[in-house]
Amino acid sequence: MQGLLLVISGPSGVGKGTICAALLRRLPDLRLSVSATTRSPRPGERNGVEYFFVSEAEFARMVTCGELLEWAEVHGARYGTPRRPVLEALRRGQDVLLEIDVQGGLQVKKSFPDAVLVFVLPPSMEELRRRLAARGKDSPQAMERRLVWALKEIQRVPDYDYVVVNDAVDRAVAEIISIMAAEKCRQQEYRQVKGIFQ
Amino acid sequence: MQGLLLVISGPSGVGKGTICAALLRRLPDLRLSVSATTRSPRPGERNGVEYFFVSEAEFARMVTCGELLEWAEVHGARYGTPRRPVLEALRRGQDVLLEIDVQGGLQVKKSFPDAVLVFVLPPSMEELRRRLAARGKDSPQAMERRLVWALKEIQRVPDYDYVVVNDAVDRAVAEIISIMAAEKCRQQEYRQVKGIFQ
């Protein structure tokens, strides 16, 4: 059976990273896709682990050669998902996790209608502001820019398959695990019916 | 938030009853819809608990008066779901479980597109035959009739939303609970997005 392609999106500061880390701990067979990016590494980020850090020129080459499943520009940097490792893992039956932005998620859904798109919402915009401030990574201007961007992203929720509110990480993770289990029971997964007549 | 209308269908002998009983134990807030039927009670069945046992005339009256959400004829008896208790429970936010046949499930989906249809499959037709025989309720002729009917029902699986294989009851129940949790995260449940701006 082909693996499940799970896309997790949501505004900066909503806690996607924490949720994805918890998912990977709970589901040891789930494989995280490592994105390529043109932005500079933050302290502690390692090449090939959090991201593949590439030059603008290398990124442009990957786009031209069709090596990216999706790519997008966010806050002035480019991010993209290398296509081959994702396809190979799915074919081997592994589930693959993509933590990408909304533009990227919708591109993936176009080429993979079976991809499962989950949007992570904050409990409120106030809470999102608090989380961004607590993170302390951004200047006040950058934070405002992120919040405006968040509102823009949230408007695309209707194009996503599922919405999970991150009020408590454990609950959000449990909901995503349920979503994955349910998707594996979808009637489109027809082999079971064929199997029964053998 | 309106409750979830969960429809469980599957061939005789597949273990729907066991699964539904386990679901009701695991989810105390889930409400089982009690069907009306024209068939005679089996030993141990109580009126108003397993079924409302009604006469052919009373059943016909309920159909005429629009009191049934769905009804169908199966193995020579009529079965139907009283409409009002289901609607009232959903409106109160309670989840409602319907254990009904495929014809009924598809009728429900027509009037309630949000209903979640789960088809329970046996691991194999051989195993279904074994389970029917072990149940010891049927004559050999009746058992053959049930198996032919089962094949006919299984052909409607593509019209169902989800398929759960009952190889182990606990696993089947866990899958159905995941399906319910996932359905509550569906993006159509839009209130969350509206809520975030308040």
Side-chain angles (χ1 to χ4, degrees):
Chain A
M1 184 141 110
Q2 179 166 293
L4 196 78
L5 183 53
L6 176 68
V7 174
I8 307 262
S9 303
S12 288
V14 77
K16 291 188 299 295
T18 311
I19 288 175
C20 289
L23 266 178
L24 291 164
R25 273 196 306 275
R26 293 265 311 262
L27 305 173
D29 292 336
L30 180 62
R31 187 197 162 110
L32 177 69
S33 160
V34 177
S35 298
T37 183
T38 59
R39 81 153 163 77
S40 313
R42 293 182 189 144
E45 286 183 340
R46 291 146 299 172
N47 189 37
V49 180
E50 283 80 10
Y51 289 96
F52 295 108
F53 296 97
V54 301
S55 65
E56 292 281 355
E58 170 62 4
F59 197 97
R61 190 199 63 73
M62 292 169 96
V63 171
T64 308
C65 297
E67 292 178 12
L68 299 177
L69 187 55
E70 58 78 32
W71 67 273
E73 193 163 325
V74 184
H75 308 311
R78 291 178 168 194
Y79 296 82
T81 301
R83 183 189 304 271
R84 196 153 50 153
V86 171
L87 298 196
E88 286 176 354
L90 292 175
R91 216 170 287 140
R92 279 194 308 270
Q94 269 193 296
D95 299 333
V96 178
L97 172 61
L98 261 57
E99 184 198 331
I100 55 177
D101 82 303
V102 171
Q103 306 167 63
L106 298 176
Q107 279 178 60
V108 168
K109 188 81 178 178
K110 261 196 201 159
S111 33
F112 274 87
D114 288 345
V116 176
L117 269 50
V118 176
F119 197 100
V120 181
L121 276 180
S124 68
M125 287 309 284
E126 258 323 291
E127 176 59 22
L128 185 63
R129 181 185 295 271
R130 258 194 302 277
R131 288 182 194 176
L132 278 172
R135 205 164 75 157
K137 280 180 192 159
D138 301 307
S139 66
Q141 293 79 357
M143 211 178 92
E144 283 314 311
R145 210 173 42 166
R146 283 192 197 277
L147 284 168
V148 170
W149 188 262
L151 285 173
K152 210 172 143 183
E153 284 199 309
I154 288 171
Q155 285 164 14
R156 306 304 300 268
V157 167
D159 299 320
Y160 267 59
D161 301 307
Y162 296 96
V163 175
V164 166
V165 176
N166 185 20
D167 43 7
V169 173
D170 285 351
R171 212 173 64 97
V173 168
E175 284 179 357
I176 295 170
I177 290 175
S178 288
I179 289 167
M180 295 176 70
E183 284 290 331
K184 288 177 190 227
C185 295
R186 288 226 147 244
Q187 151 292 304
Q188 290 93 316
E189 298 299 321
Y190 214 151
R191 297 152 202 87
Q192 293 156 319
V193 185
K194 289 191 206 130
I196 202 180
F197 295 108
Q198 281 161 11
Chain B
M1 184 142 111
Q2 177 164 293
L4 196 78
L5 184 53
L6 176 69
V7 173
I8 307 262
S9 303
S12 289
V14 77
K16 291 188 299 295
T18 311
I19 288 174
C20 289
L23 266 178
L24 291 164
R25 272 196 308 275
R26 294 265 312 261
L27 305 173
D29 292 337
L30 180 62
R31 186 196 162 109
L32 177 69
S33 160
V34 178
S35 299
T37 182
T38 60
R39 81 154 163 76
S40 314
R42 294 182 189 144
E45 286 183 339
R46 292 145 299 173
N47 189 37
V49 180
E50 282 80 10
Y51 289 96
F52 294 110
F53 296 98
V54 300
S55 65
E56 293 281 354
E58 170 63 3
F59 197 97
R61 189 199 63 73
M62 293 170 95
V63 171
T64 307
C65 297
E67 292 177 12
L68 299 177
L69 187 55
E70 58 79 31
W71 67 273
E73 192 163 325
V74 185
H75 307 311
R78 290 176 167 197
Y79 296 82
T81 301
R83 182 189 305 271
R84 196 152 52 151
V86 172
L87 299 196
E88 286 175 354
L90 292 176
R91 217 170 285 139
R92 279 195 307 271
Q94 270 193 296
D95 298 334
V96 177
L97 172 61
L98 261 58
E99 184 198 331
I100 55 179
D101 82 303
V102 171
Q103 305 166 63
L106 298 176
Q107 279 178 61
V108 168
K109 188 83 179 178
K110 262 196 200 158
S111 32
F112 275 87
D114 288 344
V116 176
L117 270 51
V118 176
F119 197 99
V120 181
L121 276 182
S124 68
M125 287 309 284
E126 258 323 291
E127 176 59 23
L128 184 64
R129 180 185 296 271
R130 257 195 301 276
R131 289 182 195 176
L132 279 171
R135 204 163 76 156
K137 280 180 193 157
D138 302 308
S139 66
Q141 294 79 358
M143 209 177 95
E144 283 313 310
R145 211 174 40 168
R146 283 193 197 276
L147 284 170
V148 169
W149 187 261
L151 285 173
K152 211 172 142 183
E153 284 199 308
I154 289 171
Q155 285 165 13
R156 305 305 300 270
V157 167
D159 299 320
Y160 268 58
D161 300 308
Y162 296 96
V163 174
V164 166
V165 176
N166 185 21
D167 44 7
V169 173
D170 285 350
R171 209 172 67 96
V173 168
E175 283 179 357
I176 295 170
I177 290 175
S178 288
I179 289 167
M180 296 176 69
E183 283 290 331
K184 289 176 188 224
C185 295
R186 287 225 149 246
Q187 151 294 303
Q188 291 91 315
E189 297 300 320
Y190 214 150
R191 298 152 201 89
Q192 291 156 320
V193 184
K194 289 191 207 129
I196 202 180
F197 297 107
Q198 283 160 9

